[in-house]
Amino acid sequence: MASGYGLNGGVSRCFPFWQELLACYVVNTTSDDDSGKTKCHPALEDYYECLHHKKEPGQAVFNMAHAVGMSRAKVILLAIELIVDNNLAGLRSLIRVHPRTLYLDLVLRMLLTALPESTSPNTYTRFLQELVKGFPEDGEAALFEIKDTAVEDITEDEARLRVRSLHLLPLLYSPALSEKTTDPLTLFLIHRAHRIDMQTGVLTLLPELIVPFLDQSEALRNWELQRVLHNSLHRSKQSDQDWLRLHEEIVWMWKWGTDMRSPGEGAAHSIGVFFKLSRSTIEREFLKALLDNARYDLAIQTHLHTPHKASLLSRDEVEKAVLETTLAFYDQASNGNRTRGGMKKASEIVNAFRGEFESSAPLHRVEKLLEATHALSFYSLTLSHGLPFQPVNIRVHQDPIALLGKVLEQNARSYSKLDDLLLIGRNFLDAGLLNPKQDGGFRDITPAEQERLVARTQSRITGMAIEAALTEDDFDTAYSYVMNRIAQGMQQTSDLSAIEDASTDHDDTTSWRAAFQAGRYRPMKLLQRSSTSLTKTANADLRIQEMRMELLAQALLVAPAAALPEILGVWRRCEEELNALLAQETEAEEQWDDQGDQKIPGQFMSAPATKVRRDASGRGTGDEAPVGLFDVARGAAAALSKTAFPLRSAGSGGTSRGSGSGGGEDAVGRELNEEGRVRKRDVVSNIVTGGLASGIGWVLGATPAPAQDME
């Protein structure tokens, strides 16, 4: 021990104490007088304590006992302090006392955050191995003193506040790694290697960090190969010849000159630098490197068209590598436009290999995903908490169609681009994102399931657009979508059993709910439609009520039985409003007729105005005088009033209000009566009141129409 060398080489841990003791003896003693050796007694005790640890265990046990009662926040702060001081022995002791607080992931994150990147990995690789596998039960860790003076004087509230402000780094360096491995140690090593490279640039530290763990993780071996590939390419001109030369060098480093032609042959006996990697792994990573650097033609030539394909990858393995690389660029993209960044790279790869895998269903799904993402990029979209939309949000979203709902909420009048939204939804469907989930992925569906899923998706998106149109008070567009989109979809389902199945399905409730929401909606502005009506506002009100009743009638066709009372209640209120509007129109027409009668052309001003009830021919009741020119004019005016005001009460029976019991009808009046014109609202009302009166029409208070009336 006094030689200064330890058992494992290097300076002995007690050699400094021995030097101090020897210096004390040299100064205080001589060959003739050794009485001054008593002055060296403290140095001698320090040296013996270093050798035998007779005093230190008691002090250490006291400190460890004190550490047992520490709160979780103080334990974490103490662990950070030990890591900053590179006191891994003390950290090991603290972990043994608080294993639940200092669990594996947390300790690795603290090491990643607090341990200086310039620290030699040789000083903590053994600690990492023991941390994962478990510390040995040799009692050595208990001999190290834990100095908790830095945290023992602070309050619990202050300790918790400091813990919340630590901002520990995550283990995951890149989202793409989450699909390759979830091992905490592997994620720590990869992230640590990147931080050493960024913070220090000392690449010689990386082998010290990575090599001891290569045999424990295949993902780590693949990452190491990728690093070697990219570092080599940075030093090359990246021509085709440079790539081919690099490929030969990597293969040579794998086999070190041995003759192994097939991918799996001799892998177990290879002793090269990459001997722990299979040949197929090397070829797959080399192919991904080609795709990363846009060497698509060379990748196709070397992995698909070469006459020595047996020495490389199979077509299935090439397709899998192409898909993985494409989705990696897709997930890293920050914008959905396929002419920028990661989306551009992903689109280029798909376009380059589309001709090689024409019948590939996975590649077709990726292509549809790119189309949908590109179309969605033209809309403004912000997710929860103000986060901007990124393409990867589509792939990880539990319900991608819900993103279209956010588009409709955040983009004014986007509901008018329904065809665009329907195409995006269809591309989501073709990309397999709406397929039923199975074993963490999406299972394939039958053609029948595909057809039904298409109908549900279109109905749901149309319903979203209808709701958005009503939110922006665009009743016309909502009415058009229900009658031309929803209604047509319901008419296509002609089989009654299919309708019943659809009505019980949760997703298919969109059809009748959309019609019902539009039917009970009250527009904020009156529509100006009729250009020939003398009372445009009244006719606009009537038209709105007719449209609402048509929408409610569509909802009644497919709504479940439980929803019928609510729909019929809205129908009855709408019908009452319609009758009130008809009464107002009738009163307005009568007032107009009366004003016309009081202002007969050619009448003398001194003649008293007498109000005479006239029939459709213009003659008063009981008046047998010959028909004059003015009477003909009045008859024409009455006929015109019937044409100008077609929306009369259904109870008038098609006769004139002013006709007497003995009055005749002129040719114009007979033509109007014989025409027998049928109004749309009368048809809708007859369908609902007549068809439902015998069943649930009692809610409306309707009575069945007589058979002769129906005929």
Side-chain angles (χ1 to χ4, degrees):
M1 191 66 68
S3 65
Y5 295 99
L7 296 176
N8 299 321
V11 179
S12 170
R13 60 185 176 87
C14 297
F15 183 67
F17 296 99
W18 165 254
Q19 285 183 316
E20 184 180 355
L21 177 61
L22 183 60
C24 182
Y25 272 106
V26 170
V27 172
N28 295 296
T29 62
T30 63
S31 57
D32 298 330
D33 185 13
D34 61 351
S35 59
K37 66 180 181 180
T38 56
K39 298 180 180 180
C40 301
H41 185 69
L44 180 63
E45 286 187 350
D46 290 342
Y47 178 57
Y48 281 150
E49 177 61 24
C50 179
L51 292 176
H52 305 293
H53 300 293
K54 292 184 177 180
K55 297 181 179 180
E56 186 177 3
Q59 181 67 22
V61 170
F62 171 79
N63 286 332
M64 292 301 297
H66 180 63
V68 171
M70 294 178 65
S71 65
R72 182 178 182 273
K74 289 189 175 182
V75 168
I76 294 176
L77 294 177
L78 180 56
I80 292 291
E81 181 183 347
L82 294 173
I83 292 174
V84 172
D85 295 338
N86 200 17
N87 186 0
L88 299 183
L91 180 61
R92 182 187 292 109
S93 301
L94 191 61
I95 293 174
R96 283 185 167 181
V97 177
H98 295 278
R100 295 186 177 180
T101 299
L102 301 176
Y103 53 92
L104 176 61
D105 287 24
L106 179 59
V107 174
L108 291 176
R109 291 182 63 190
M110 290 191 294
L111 288 170
L112 188 63
T113 305
L115 188 63
E117 284 77 9
S118 58
T119 305
S120 174
N122 290 331
T123 62
Y124 57 84
T125 52
R126 180 184 174 186
F127 174 82
L128 292 175
Q129 292 172 341
E130 293 179 350
L131 180 64
V132 174
K133 297 179 179 179
F135 297 116
E137 298 292 338
D138 54 4
E140 179 182 358
L143 302 178
F144 291 91
E145 181 180 1
I146 298 177
K147 299 178 181 180
D148 58 346
T149 55
V151 297
E152 65 178 358
D153 295 332
I154 63 176
T155 63
E156 292 297 331
D157 293 339
E158 186 177 357
R160 286 192 290 269
L161 183 62
R162 290 187 182 182
V163 169
R164 285 195 294 267
S165 62
L166 286 177
H167 303 296
L168 300 178
L169 294 172
L171 295 179
L172 186 63
Y173 176 75
S174 171
L177 291 173
S178 61
E179 299 182 358
K180 299 179 180 179
T181 181
T182 56
D183 176 46
L185 180 60
T186 301
L187 297 177
F188 166 81
L189 293 172
I190 294 176
H191 198 164
R192 181 72 175 176
H194 281 284
R195 290 191 62 82
I196 290 176
D197 185 20
M198 290 186 297
Q199 300 295 329
T200 67
V202 184
L203 297 180
T204 56
L205 296 177
L206 298 186
E208 299 178 9
L209 176 68
I210 301 299
V211 171
F213 303 95
L214 282 177
D215 59 340
Q216 300 181 18
S217 172
E218 182 179 359
L220 187 62
R221 295 193 292 269
N222 293 340
W223 176 84
E224 178 69 10
L225 176 60
Q226 293 173 0
R227 191 178 63 87
V228 172
L229 281 171
H230 293 298
N231 289 340
S232 301
L233 292 172
H234 286 317
R235 298 191 297 268
S236 68
K237 298 179 182 179
Q238 297 190 12
S239 66
D240 287 355
Q241 295 301 321
D242 293 329
W243 280 95
L244 293 175
R245 188 180 305 110
L246 175 62
H247 178 265
E248 294 176 357
E249 292 174 356
I250 292 175
V251 173
W252 187 89
M253 285 190 294
W254 172 73
K255 64 182 182 179
W256 272 7
T258 59
D259 186 13
M260 290 178 287
R261 293 178 179 157
S262 64
E265 183 181 352
H269 305 288
S270 177
I271 57 174
V273 177
F274 302 118
F275 74 97
K276 293 185 177 180
L277 297 176
S278 65
R279 175 68 185 275
S280 61
T281 300
I282 293 177
E283 297 295 346
R284 182 171 60 252
E285 296 303 327
F286 182 75
L287 173 59
K288 290 181 179 180
L290 290 175
L291 300 178
D292 289 345
N293 290 271
R295 312 301 297 189
Y296 310 126
D297 293 337
L298 182 60
I300 294 174
Q301 177 186 352
T302 56
H303 290 80
L304 292 175
H305 294 171
T306 177
H308 303 290
K309 287 190 299 183
S311 62
L312 300 176
L313 300 174
S314 65
R315 291 187 64 88
D316 291 341
E317 290 175 319
V318 173
E319 180 184 355
K320 182 179 180 182
V322 168
L323 292 173
E324 290 178 354
T325 307
T326 303
L327 291 178
F329 278 118
Y330 178 87
D331 293 341
Q332 296 170 8
S334 58
N335 189 287
N337 194 308
R338 66 191 315 167
T339 62
R340 304 176 185 174
M343 280 288 294
K344 180 180 179 180
K345 295 283 291 184
S347 299
E348 289 176 351
I349 296 175
V350 171
N351 293 334
F353 285 87
R354 182 189 294 113
E356 302 296 330
F357 302 100
E358 294 181 354
S359 60
S360 172
L363 194 64
H364 175 73
R365 287 195 289 266
V366 172
E367 188 173 7
K368 291 301 181 181
L369 175 63
L370 295 176
E371 292 179 6
T373 307
H374 177 71
L376 202 59
S377 67
F378 292 97
Y379 297 93
S380 175
L381 181 57
T382 303
L383 304 181
S384 56
H385 308 293
L387 297 176
F389 168 77
Q390 293 181 340
V392 69
N393 298 131
I394 297 177
R395 286 224 303 148
V396 302
H397 205 284
Q398 297 292 330
D399 183 16
I401 298 298
L403 294 175
L404 299 181
K406 292 184 176 293
V407 168
L408 290 166
E409 292 175 3
Q410 300 175 17
N411 296 264
R413 292 195 59 81
S414 57
Y415 61 86
S416 62
K417 300 179 180 179
L418 179 58
D419 291 333
D420 244 1
L421 300 177
L422 289 175
L423 181 58
I424 294 175
R426 180 57 189 263
N427 285 333
F428 282 165
L429 178 61
D430 292 340
L433 300 179
L434 307 183
N435 292 11
K437 293 185 177 181
Q438 183 179 20
D439 299 332
F442 296 96
R443 67 171 177 86
D444 295 333
I445 58 177
T446 63
E449 291 177 319
Q450 173 85 1
E451 183 178 356
R452 179 161 181 164
L453 198 55
V454 168
R456 291 182 191 172
T457 304
Q458 292 179 346
S459 176
R460 183 180 176 191
I461 296 175
T462 305
M464 291 178 176
I466 292 171
E467 183 178 355
L470 295 176
T471 302
E472 299 189 33
D473 196 34
D474 192 346
F475 179 74
D476 260 354
T477 301
Y479 172 82
S480 174
Y481 285 167
V482 173
M483 303 305 297
N484 298 327
R485 307 276 186 156
I486 298 293
Q488 288 183 1
M490 291 187 296
Q491 289 174 0
Q492 291 175 359
T493 312
S494 57
D495 186 11
L496 181 58
S497 61
I499 294 178
E500 293 177 352
D501 292 340
S503 64
T504 57
D505 195 290
H506 176 72
D507 293 336
D508 287 341
T509 59
T510 308
S511 300
W512 70 267
R513 285 189 182 278
F516 178 52
Q517 292 292 338
R520 70 177 181 181
Y521 179 76
R522 295 174 178 271
M524 299 296 295
K525 298 179 180 179
L526 297 177
L527 305 177
Q528 303 294 328
R529 293 185 177 275
S530 176
S531 60
T532 61
S533 175
L534 299 179
T535 56
K536 296 181 179 180
T537 302
N539 279 343
D541 280 331
L542 289 171
R543 179 57 185 148
I544 291 175
Q545 296 301 328
E546 287 182 345
M547 293 166 66
R548 291 179 62 194
M549 296 178 72
E550 291 176 34
L551 294 170
L552 294 173
Q554 291 294 335
L556 285 170
L557 291 177
V558 292
L564 292 180
E566 183 180 8
I567 299 175
L568 291 172
V570 178
W571 171 280
R572 184 170 186 176
R573 289 192 296 271
C574 187
E575 192 174 36
E576 291 173 354
E577 295 174 5
L578 178 63
N579 292 333
L581 290 173
L582 288 174
Q584 293 176 5
E585 185 198 27
T586 301
E587 183 179 356
E589 291 180 9
E590 290 180 349
Q591 291 178 357
W592 187 85
D593 288 342
D594 292 342
Q595 292 176 0
D597 290 344
Q598 294 175 5
K599 297 180 180 179
I600 301 175
Q603 181 181 8
F604 294 102
M605 297 299 298
S606 59
T610 58
K611 183 176 180 181
V612 181
R613 297 185 58 84
R614 303 182 181 276
D615 60 7
S617 63
R619 285 185 287 178
T621 57
D623 190 3
E624 300 296 332
V627 178
L629 179 62
F630 292 152
D631 293 332
V632 174
R634 283 195 298 271
L640 176 63
S641 68
K642 293 185 177 182
T643 306
F645 297 93
L647 302 178
R648 295 184 177 274
S649 173
S652 61
T655 60
S656 173
R657 296 179 195 85
S659 61
S661 59
E665 292 183 347
D666 60 3
V668 178
R670 288 194 300 272
E671 181 179 355
L672 289 176
N673 287 333
E674 292 171 0
E675 203 174 57
R677 189 173 51 162
V678 181
R679 296 169 298 180
K680 181 181 290 186
R681 70 164 179 271
D682 297 333
V683 175
V684 175
S685 181
N686 289 337
I687 291 175
V688 176
T689 58
L692 297 180
S694 59
I696 55 175
W698 56 268
V699 179
L700 297 173
T703 58
Q708 59 270 21
D709 294 343
M710 297 298 293
E711 295 177 358

